[in-house]
């Protein structure tokens, strides 16, 4: 689709500006960590053609938008999926979003990636008057220094850890709990560009568990086949990949849902510490006009990645659970890491899987 050069309050960033923008974002770490490392990975590895927009008064008004594209973005419109960074100390600049009617059509559903809770609260004051904001909460845990004193038992003699290769892509995709909304090519690109680790059986070469570095510096998911859980594979993968990410010049971080005590225990053992609260949001107007099907109510819209089943979410300023009539029926999805979807499309068949997120089991 055509790229918009500027909005009402924002302008498209030229690639030559990105190094200087990185310097500005460093002032606001750790809140800016995700944006900082997304730009850094983009410059270093060129994984996807991301679009960044800064306020026209940048850096005096330090607010930046990221449009990554989304696998389930309706009508292939990358402008319906975004990330927002604005320092909590300057949260008033978020109010520019209220009247940003060029880059964003607030009368259509929006999907906001994991974003600082202060930003979401500010948006909620504006958006809840005419639409629904469904939130999935998470805590950002950051590893500034890996716990080198943590000693782990060696792997069993019939298992080995090694770097993932392109031959492992299909197995990775099969283990991914949301593989019905992610194509194989996504994992092909990640394995080609970024480090990933797997634990394999030596006799059959079966992939038992895996983990890869994400395009934004986080640890992209961790999956373990059910037969290999509770064998300590998860913490071994996390420790080794954390070290690799640090060696590449990034600050590892993960998103852990508040009720996931197993993930929190695993990562705190490795030296991760909570930095701030965040949430992912699906925003749906009370009703909107779709040129292909006419007027659609928010209850019938189901094209965005779902929020995890059974999760207590915030809808229009109040909590609802799985028994509430406004709660959505959705897949379990990612337990503790990213839930971002990039615009990587494929016509390849997408195999179904019954495996769920392994990190809560793999201790």
């Amino acid at each position: 689709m055509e790229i918009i050069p500027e909005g009402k309050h924002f302008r498209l960033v030229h690639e030559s500006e990105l190094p200087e923008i990185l310097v500005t974002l460093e002032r606001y770490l750790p809140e800016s960590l995700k944006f900082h490392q997304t730009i850094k990975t983009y410059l270093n590895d060129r994984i996807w053609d991301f679009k960044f927009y800064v306020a026209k008064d940048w850096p005096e008004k330090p607010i930046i938008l990221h449009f990554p594209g989304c696998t389930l973005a309706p009508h292939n419109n990358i402008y319906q999926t975004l990330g927002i960074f604005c320092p909590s100390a300057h949260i008033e600049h978020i109010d520019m979003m209220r009247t940003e009617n060029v880059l964003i059509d607030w009368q259509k559903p929006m999907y906001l990636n994991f974003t600082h809770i202060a930003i979401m609260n500010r948006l909620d004051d504006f958006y809840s008057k005419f639409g629904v904001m469904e939130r999935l909460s998470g805590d950002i845990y950051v590893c500034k220094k890996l716990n080198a004193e943590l000693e782990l038992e060696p792997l069993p003699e019939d298992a080995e850890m090694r770097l993932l290769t392109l031959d492992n892509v299909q197995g990775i995709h099969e283990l991914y709990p949301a593989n019905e909304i992610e194509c194989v090519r996504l994992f092909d690109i990640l394995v080609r560009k970024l480090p990933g680790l797997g634990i394999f059986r030596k006799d059959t070469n079966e992939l038992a568990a895996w983990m890869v570095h994400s395009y934004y510096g986080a640890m992209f998911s961790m999956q373990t086949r059910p037969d290999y859980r509770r064998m300590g594979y998860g913490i071994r993968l996390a420790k080794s990949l954390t070290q690799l990410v640090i060696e590449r010049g990034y600050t590892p971080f993960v998103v852990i849902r508040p009720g996931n005590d197993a993930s929190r225990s695993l990562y705190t053992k490795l030296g991760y510490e909570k930095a701030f609260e965040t949430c992912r949001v699906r925003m749906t107007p009370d009703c909107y006009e779709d040129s292909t099907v006419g007027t659609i109510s928010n209850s019938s819209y189901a094209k965005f990645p779902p929020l995890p089943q059974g999760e207590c979410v915030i809808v229009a300023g109040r909590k609802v659970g799985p028994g509430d009539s406004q709660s959505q029926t959705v897949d379990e999805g990612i337990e503790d890491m990213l839930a971002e979807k990039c615009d990587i499309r494929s016509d390849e068949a997408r195999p179904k899987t019954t495996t769920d997120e392994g990190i809560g089991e793999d201790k």
Side-chain angles (χ1 to χ4, degrees):
M1 65 176 297
E2 182 179 354
I3 301 303
I4 302 172
E6 67 175 47
K8 184 173 183 179
H9 304 296
F10 300 88
R11 63 175 180 81
L12 182 66
V13 173
H14 190 275
E15 186 173 306
S16 63
E17 300 177 84
L18 290 176
E20 186 176 345
I21 288 176
L22 279 178
V23 174
T24 300
L25 290 174
E26 286 175 1
R27 304 176 192 170
Y28 303 109
L29 292 171
E31 288 185 11
S32 64
L33 180 61
K34 181 179 168 185
F35 265 73
H36 182 273
Q37 295 198 153
T38 298
I39 293 175
K40 186 174 180 178
T41 309
Y42 172 74
L43 291 173
N44 290 342
D45 300 292
R46 308 290 170 153
I47 297 177
W48 292 288
D49 187 20
F50 294 144
K51 305 301 176 187
F52 300 94
Y53 290 78
V54 293
K56 293 180 179 179
D57 295 330
W58 175 277
E60 287 74 20
K61 294 181 178 178
I63 177 171
I64 181 171
L65 311 180
H66 173 214
F67 294 93
C70 178
T71 302
L72 297 185
H75 315 132
N76 196 26
N77 181 359
I78 68 169
Y79 291 100
Q80 285 187 257
T81 307
L82 78 153
I84 307 171
F85 168 70
C86 181
S88 55
H90 302 280
I91 199 65
E92 68 277 4
H93 297 316
I94 287 295
D95 292 344
M96 288 192 294
M97 300 297 294
R98 299 174 181 236
T99 53
E100 180 49 65
N101 55 9
V102 178
L103 296 177
I104 299 173
D105 185 350
W106 294 109
Q107 299 304 315
K108 293 183 179 180
M110 297 287 300
Y111 181 80
L112 275 67
N113 295 327
F114 276 112
T115 301
H116 196 287
I117 190 68
I119 294 174
M120 291 304 190
N121 288 341
R122 192 82 174 197
L123 285 176
D124 188 53
D125 291 340
F126 146 68
Y127 192 82
S128 61
K129 295 178 176 62
F130 62 90
V132 172
M133 289 182 66
E134 297 173 86
R135 300 190 188 192
L136 174 63
S137 298
D139 296 325
I140 298 291
Y141 276 70
V142 178
C143 181
K144 296 181 180 178
K145 184 179 180 181
L146 182 62
N147 179 11
E149 297 180 358
L150 179 64
E151 296 185 1
L152 302 175
E153 295 292 329
L155 284 171
E157 292 185 1
D158 62 348
E160 65 177 346
M161 182 187 300
R162 63 175 186 260
L163 289 172
L164 296 169
T165 69
L166 294 179
D167 292 336
N168 308 131
V169 168
Q170 186 65 45
I172 292 172
H173 184 256
E174 289 174 356
L175 278 177
Y176 189 62
N179 62 10
E180 73 279 2
I181 61 173
E182 288 289 20
C183 62
V184 173
R185 183 169 173 246
L186 166 66
F187 299 96
D188 181 280
I189 293 174
L190 286 174
V191 171
R192 287 176 186 271
K193 296 284 189 176
L194 300 173
L197 294 171
I199 295 179
F200 300 80
R201 282 189 56 169
K202 290 181 179 179
D203 55 350
T204 63
N205 202 37
E206 180 182 20
L207 177 63
W210 64 266
M211 194 174 191
V212 297
H213 182 195
S214 168
Y215 69 85
Y216 57 87
M219 315 286 276
F220 185 111
S221 194
M222 179 195 294
Q223 306 302 325
T224 305
R225 292 188 184 278
D227 292 347
Y228 297 98
R229 291 177 185 167
R230 302 189 181 278
M231 300 178 69
Y233 288 177
I235 195 166
R236 288 178 175 84
L237 285 170
K239 181 180 180 181
S240 297
L241 190 61
T242 295
Q243 184 61 47
L244 278 175
V245 170
I246 292 172
E247 290 173 358
R248 297 186 78 238
Y250 294 88
T251 300
F253 71 95
V254 293
V255 183
I256 302 178
R257 294 209 307 238
N260 192 340
D261 295 333
S263 292
R264 184 174 298 101
S265 174
L266 185 155
Y267 286 103
T268 52
K269 287 178 182 177
L270 293 175
Y272 285 74
E273 298 179 357
K274 181 178 176 180
F276 57 89
E277 296 179 20
T278 184
C279 62
R280 177 164 52 105
V281 171
R282 183 167 55 180
M283 306 171 72
T284 313
D286 291 330
C287 62
Y288 69 98
E289 188 73 18
D290 187 318
S291 61
T292 61
V293 294
T295 300
I296 303 176
S297 67
N298 61 38
S299 62
S300 65
Y301 188 82
K303 292 184 179 180
F304 279 93
L307 298 179
Q309 187 174 9
E311 187 73 18
C312 187
V313 300
I314 304 296
V315 176
R318 68 184 184 87
K319 287 186 177 180
V320 299
D324 190 284
S325 61
Q326 294 191 45
S327 182
Q328 303 294 314
T329 302
V330 291
D331 298 329
E332 178 58 27
I334 306 306
E335 180 66 21
D336 65 320
M337 320 277 177
L338 101 155
E340 317 271 335
K341 310 299 174 194
C342 293
D343 195 13
I344 304 295
R345 298 177 181 274
S346 174
D347 294 329
E348 300 173 47
R350 297 176 182 182
K352 300 296 180 180
T353 179
T354 57
T355 58
D356 55 10
E357 178 62 35
I359 191 158
E361 306 288 340
D362 194 2
K363 295 178 284 183

